[in-house]
Amino acid sequence: MKFEKMRNIGIAAHIDAGKTTTSERILYYTGKSYKMGEVHEGTAVMDWMEEEQKRGITITAAATTCSWNDYQINLIDTPGHVDFTVEVERSLRVLDGAVCVFCGVGGVEAQSETVWRQADRYRVPRICFVNKMDRVGADYYKVVGEINERLGIAAVPIQMPIGNEQDFKGVIDLVRMKARIYQDEEDTTGKNFSDEDIPAEYMKEATKQREKMVEILAEHIDWLTEKFLEGKEITTEEIKRAIREGTIKLNFVPVLCGSAFKKKGVQLLLDAVCDYLPSPLDKEAIVGTNPKTNGEIVRKPLVEEPFSALAFKITSDKHGDLTFIRVYSGRLTSGSRVLNSGKDKKELVSRIYKMHAANREQVNDISAGEICAVVGLKDTVTGDTLCDLDNPIILEKMEFPETVISMAIEPKSDKEKEKLGMVLAKMAKEDPTFRTHMDKETGQMIISGMGELHLEVIKNRMLSEYNVDANVGAPKVSYRETIRKKVEVEGKFVQQTGGHGQYGHVWITLEPYAYAEGEDPVTFVDAIVGGKIPRQFVRSVEKGILDTSASGVAGGPPLINIKVTLIDGSTHPVDSSDLAFYTAACIALRKGVEMANSILLEPIMSIEITVPEQYMGDVISEIHSRRANIIEMGTKGNVRIIKGEVPLAEMFGYATTLRSITQGRGTYTMEPLEYRPAPAKTAGSVG
C-alpha cells in the first residue's frame, strides 16, 4: 500500500449524532461487513462490548481497516458521551484526519465543541458531515452557520441537500456540479442511486452556492486568488486541489450532508475522505526527544527511518493485553524486540494484528503510517513510546483530565480480595481516567472516574465480565482544597538515634496561584540562593511538596491552585538526608495550609439540557433546586435548550429525574468546567 493512498481517520461527534451508524455504513460500502449493523438493535459491529449493545451508545473507541477506491482507510469510531472523552483524546492524538458528524437538527452541541477543541489541540484536519437530513427540523445551512460561529472556523459547504426532512432525496455535489439522487425510498442498501444533471429547480441555488464556495477557497488559497480575481475559469480538479490544501492546513473545513440511517450520502463522504483528508505523508514529520541528551529528534513517516510508535490504547484480553499503536516511522516485525524509551525497558512484540472491532487479523509486519495492535508487551501503558533499540526517541505524551467522581468498593469475601485487586489494576491500565487508591483512614478501596455513567459501566463490567463479587458504595464527588492568602512557614525534621540522625530544615512560602493548562495543580519554585540547600535535597523537598499535595493534608482532598516557593533552609554536615528534607517539606506544607485559611473547592460542570417547550418551566424549577446557574436559554427547531453551570455534587440521579419530568423526551450532557469554593455546609461535611 502506497502511503499517499492511506487515510488514518476517526469519526467523532456529540452523543447521538450518528457516528456509529455512519461507521457501520462505511464498513458495508467498503465491503468490510456483508450486513449493516444497527445501533438501536444492538447489532453494530463497532459497538461490540456487551455494555455498548445494552445501552445503545459507544463506550470504547473501536478500530478497523477497510478499502475504498484503492485507498486504505484505518478507521476509529469514538464515543460521544463526555464520560468517555479520553477515548476521543487518545484517538485524535494518533490520527491524521477526522470526520466530525453533526445532527442536522441539533447542530453544534456541547460535546461537539469538546471534540473540536481536542482536534484543535492535535492539529487534526477535519471534514464535517451534517447527518440526519431526513429528520423533522433538519436545517443544513443553520448547522453550517453554527460551525462558523461556535467553532470559529470557516465552513465551506461543498454539497447541498436535494429536498429536506421526509423529502430528502439526495445531494448536489457543488465541486462536480452533479446531483446524486436516490431512486427508491424502500432501498435497504443505499446503492440504488444515479448521478444526474442538477434538477432545473435547484440549478439557480446550486450555482449561487458554488460561487460562494469558490470565493471562500480563493480567500484562503493564494494560487487560486489570482485566478479568481481575474475571472478565469476554475476547473473541477483545481477546486478539489484547493479544498484538499486548505483542509490539511486547517484554513477551513469542507461540509457535506446526508442521512447515514437512510443510507444516503455515505459513499460521497468516503470519496471526500480520500480526496481531502491527509495521508501520513501530508502530515509534518513527528518530533520527539532523545532520552539521553534531551535533544530534539525528527522522524519522517518513511519505512527507511528507524522504528518509532506511540501506544495509545490498552485492551485486556483472555490471550493477553492488546496494545494499540500508531507507527510513525520504520517497520515493525512480529517476534522483534523494541525499546520502551520512557521506561528504558526492552519489550518483545510476539504478534501483530490488524483490528476489526473485536476481531483480528494476524500480520507479519507493519509499516510507518499504520495503526495496529500488538501482543506481548509487559510494561507499556497508554502514552508510552516504542522505538528501535539503537535509536531511542520519546514522543510527546498525552494529557488526561482529572477524575471528578469516586465510590468505595469492597470484596464480599477475603477470597475475592485478590481477584478484585487484579481486575481493578487491569481496568486502570486500559483506562487512564479510571483511578484506584486505598483510603488510609477508612481502609476502603476507592475507585474514581469521569462521571456517574463511567463508574456504572466499570462496575457492571466487573460484575458481569470479570465475575467479581463486590459491594459498591454510592458515588462521591472528588473535592479539592486551596488557600486564600500568602504565608511563610518553617518545616523542621530532627531525629537523633544511636548512629546518624536525621536533619532537614526548610522555609517555604505558600500563595494562591491559578495554574495554566498543562501545568501541575501545585507549582513548586526553587528560590534558594548561595547553595544553602544542596541540589539533591531541593529535589527531595519538591517531591515532598508534590506528594503531599496529591494525597491531601491531614486526610483532606488534594490541593490545587497553590504556588510553593522554597526560600531558605539549613543542613547538617552529617545528618541531612533526602528523607529528612522530604519529611520537613511535608511538615511545612501541612502547617502552611492550616495557616493560610484553606478552603474546600467543588467541581462545577457545564450542562446543556434539551427539552420540549411544554416541560421548560418544570425543568428550570428543578435544576434551580440543584444550585444551578442558568446562563442561556435558546430554541433549536421544536425544542428548547438550557445552558448553565451546576455543582457535580447536586447532579446524582438527574438522568432519572429528567426522564420523569419530560416523559423520557428530555436529554442532557455535562462536562467538567472548573473548581469553585464549596458552600459552608458542604465544607463542614467533607472536612
Side-chain angles (χ1 to χ4, degrees):
M1 171 60 61
K2 293 179 180 178
F3 285 145
E4 58 267 24
K5 293 272 191 176
M6 186 186 295
R7 300 289 181 269
N8 292 313
I9 67 161
I11 309 283
H14 183 90
I15 191 168
D16 204 32
K19 295 176 306 303
T20 301
T21 302
T22 303
S23 298
E24 293 297 317
R25 304 301 183 251
I26 287 173
L27 296 184
Y28 177 73
Y29 294 130
T30 57
K32 196 70 184 182
S33 300
Y34 69 92
K35 180 174 178 284
M36 289 187 227
E38 301 293 357
V39 174
H40 61 281
E41 294 173 1
T43 57
V45 174
M46 300 300 268
D47 284 352
W48 56 271
M49 287 174 63
E50 183 185 335
E51 282 290 310
E52 292 177 314
Q53 292 169 355
K54 194 164 66 179
R55 295 172 186 274
I57 62 169
T58 303
I59 290 169
T60 183
T64 190
T65 299
C66 52
S67 298
W68 181 253
N69 293 344
D70 296 328
Y71 283 80
Q72 177 181 312
I73 299 174
N74 299 319
L75 173 72
I76 297 181
D77 175 33
T78 65
H81 198 287
V82 68
D83 283 18
F84 310 106
T85 192
V86 66
E87 294 286 341
V88 186
E89 181 83 22
R90 56 185 175 187
S91 298
L92 288 172
R93 169 65 179 82
V94 299
L95 291 170
D96 297 327
V99 175
C100 288
V101 181
F102 297 90
C103 172
V105 182
V108 177
E109 298 171 276
Q111 188 65 6
S112 312
E113 296 185 47
T114 303
V115 168
W116 201 267
R117 288 196 301 270
Q118 289 171 308
D120 280 342
R121 189 178 308 136
Y122 297 117
R123 294 192 57 77
V124 177
R126 280 142 272 175
I127 58 179
C128 299
F129 181 62
V130 180
N131 191 27
K132 303 190 178 183
M133 288 304 300
D134 59 306
R135 288 277 187 95
V136 174
D139 188 335
Y140 178 61
Y141 291 108
K142 181 171 76 68
V143 180
V144 171
E146 288 183 4
I147 294 169
N148 269 304
E149 292 158 25
R150 293 181 61 176
L151 303 180
I153 192 166
V156 186
I158 63 171
Q159 293 179 352
M160 60 176 276
I162 298 175
N164 207 35
E165 300 180 347
Q166 69 269 24
D167 296 323
F168 178 63
K169 294 182 176 63
V171 296
I172 292 171
D173 181 348
L174 299 173
V175 178
R176 296 184 301 125
M177 287 301 276
K178 285 285 183 184
R180 175 159 294 185
I181 297 173
Y182 292 82
Q183 310 289 349
D184 182 4
E185 197 57 41
E186 302 303 314
D187 178 24
T188 58
T189 67
K191 293 180 178 180
N192 188 9
F193 61 80
S194 61
D195 287 340
E196 307 173 3
D197 290 334
I198 297 170
E201 65 268 32
Y202 288 97
M203 195 64 197
K204 185 178 177 182
E205 181 63 21
T207 303
K208 177 183 157 190
Q209 292 299 332
R210 189 179 203 266
E211 286 170 358
K212 274 190 184 177
M213 174 187 75
V214 174
E215 191 176 328
I216 299 172
L217 297 180
E219 282 176 21
H220 293 92
I221 306 299
D222 292 342
W223 58 263
L224 194 66
T225 308
E226 190 178 338
K227 233 183 161 182
F228 176 75
L229 293 174
E230 290 174 0
K232 292 180 180 176
E233 185 187 346
I234 297 170
T235 66
T236 299
E237 286 309 310
E238 285 173 330
I239 290 174
K240 288 175 76 170
R241 179 183 154 205
I243 295 171
R244 178 176 175 76
E245 185 178 317
T247 302
I248 292 172
K249 288 181 177 177
L250 305 179
N251 291 338
F252 50 70
V253 288
V255 186
L256 299 86
C257 61
S259 168
F261 183 65
K262 292 290 179 71
K263 302 132 185 131
K264 293 174 181 174
V266 179
Q267 295 99 323
L268 289 174
L269 174 63
L270 278 165
D271 290 341
V273 165
C274 300
D275 288 340
Y276 307 129
L277 288 179
S279 74
L281 292 175
D282 293 312
K283 298 286 282 182
E284 295 172 358
I286 196 81
V287 177
T289 306
N290 186 319
K292 294 175 182 173
T293 66
N294 283 330
E296 191 177 277
I297 303 175
V298 177
R299 291 272 164 84
K300 295 175 184 174
L302 302 172
V303 178
E304 297 77 26
E305 291 268 301
F307 168 72
S308 66
L310 188 76
F312 69 94
K313 179 179 168 72
I314 314 285
T315 301
S316 294
D317 186 272
K318 59 186 176 184
H319 303 298
D321 284 347
L322 271 177
T323 305
F324 287 76
I325 65 170
R326 160 69 192 264
V327 182
Y328 283 101
S329 63
R331 185 186 297 276
L332 178 65
T333 309
S334 59
S336 60
R337 288 196 174 274
V338 295
L339 178 70
N340 181 325
S341 51
K343 296 189 170 87
D344 195 26
K345 291 194 173 181
K346 292 179 182 177
E347 294 269 37
L348 174 66
V349 176
S350 56
R351 291 186 299 284
I352 302 172
Y353 294 106
K354 283 193 173 179
M355 299 301 296
H356 178 45
N359 301 317
R360 59 184 75 172
E361 172 197 345
Q362 188 167 345
V363 295
N364 292 323
D365 57 48
I366 206 87
S367 299
E370 298 207 64
I371 292 172
C372 67
V374 299
V375 173
L377 309 185
K378 304 293 183 190
D379 299 299
T380 299
V381 296
T382 299
D384 283 355
T385 301
L386 301 172
C387 59
D388 183 78
L389 294 172
D390 301 320
N391 295 276
I393 184 174
I394 296 179
L395 303 177
E396 181 190 355
K397 284 208 163 194
M398 289 177 263
E399 298 293 331
F400 299 114
E402 284 296 312
T403 57
V404 295
I405 189 171
S406 59
M407 60 170 65
I409 184 167
E410 55 183 33
K412 287 187 177 177
S413 66
D414 288 340
K415 185 183 173 185
E416 293 287 306
K417 197 170 186 178
E418 189 178 341
K419 186 178 178 183
L420 175 63
M422 288 171 62
V423 169
L424 290 177
K426 188 178 283 193
M427 295 180 90
K429 189 176 181 183
E430 282 186 31
D431 183 351
T433 57
F434 172 62
R435 316 270 168 84
T436 67
H437 73 275
M438 189 69 73
D439 188 310
K440 292 176 185 174
E441 288 194 355
T442 64
Q444 286 181 307
M445 176 66 76
I446 306 296
I447 60 175
S448 305
M450 294 304 298
E452 232 177 328
L453 180 61
H454 187 199
L455 290 188
E456 190 183 334
V457 166
I458 282 169
K459 178 184 78 173
N460 289 348
R461 284 188 65 198
M462 281 192 295
L463 299 176
S464 62
E465 205 173 304
Y466 294 104
N467 299 314
V468 175
D469 202 7
N471 294 316
V472 181
K476 288 169 61 180
V477 174
S478 294
Y479 292 94
R480 296 290 184 266
E481 192 174 10
T482 192
I483 58 174
R484 303 188 210 199
K485 66 177 185 179
K486 183 176 180 178
V487 296
E488 189 175 305
V489 63
E490 179 187 28
K492 203 168 191 179
F493 179 64
V494 181
Q495 194 175 63
Q496 294 300 325
T497 58
H500 282 313
Q502 297 285 355
Y503 183 94
H505 175 221
V506 298
W507 278 93
I508 61 173
T509 62
L510 275 68
E511 57 189 303
Y513 177 75
Y515 68 99
E517 188 176 346
E519 290 184 333
D520 291 322
V522 172
T523 301
F524 177 80
V525 177
D526 172 19
I528 290 292
V529 292
K532 284 192 173 181
I533 299 178
R535 175 61 44 200
Q536 73 266 27
F537 296 150
V538 171
R539 283 196 292 269
S540 299
V541 172
E542 181 178 8
K543 190 170 189 316
I545 296 291
L546 297 182
D547 286 357
T548 307
S549 301
S551 58
V553 298
L559 302 174
I560 63 169
N561 292 347
I562 298 175
K563 182 179 180 181
V564 180
T565 306
L566 177 61
I567 56 171
D568 202 357
S570 62
T571 60
H572 186 281
V574 177
D575 292 347
S576 287
S577 67
D578 288 327
L579 175 62
F581 274 92
Y582 179 94
T583 309
C586 298
I587 292 168
L589 184 64
R590 290 192 186 105
K591 282 167 63 178
V593 169
E594 196 174 324
M595 290 166 58
N597 293 352
S598 65
I599 181 173
L600 188 74
L601 302 174
E602 63 177 349
I604 303 297
M605 309 298 283
S606 174
I607 186 169
E608 183 173 303
I609 310 169
T610 304
V611 293
E613 174 77 43
Q614 63 264 41
Y615 305 112
M616 186 84 163
D618 290 341
V619 169
I620 289 174
S621 174
E622 204 283 332
I623 197 72
H624 270 312
S625 72
R626 296 174 184 263
R627 293 196 283 129
N629 174 30
I630 293 175
I631 295 170
E632 184 186 332
M633 288 187 281
T635 304
K636 257 187 193 174
N638 55 355
V639 295
R640 298 298 296 270
I641 308 293
I642 305 163
K643 294 182 183 179
E645 300 164 357
V646 63
L648 176 63
E650 304 289 345
M651 292 305 291
F652 295 132
Y654 184 64
T656 305
T657 303
L658 184 64
R659 276 198 299 270
S660 174
I661 293 173
T662 64
Q663 298 181 14
R665 295 169 65 192
T667 60
Y668 78 101
T669 57
M670 286 196 311
E671 58 182 71
L673 181 64
E674 61 184 0
Y675 277 90
R676 290 183 193 158
K681 181 182 173 185
T682 305
S685 63
V686 174

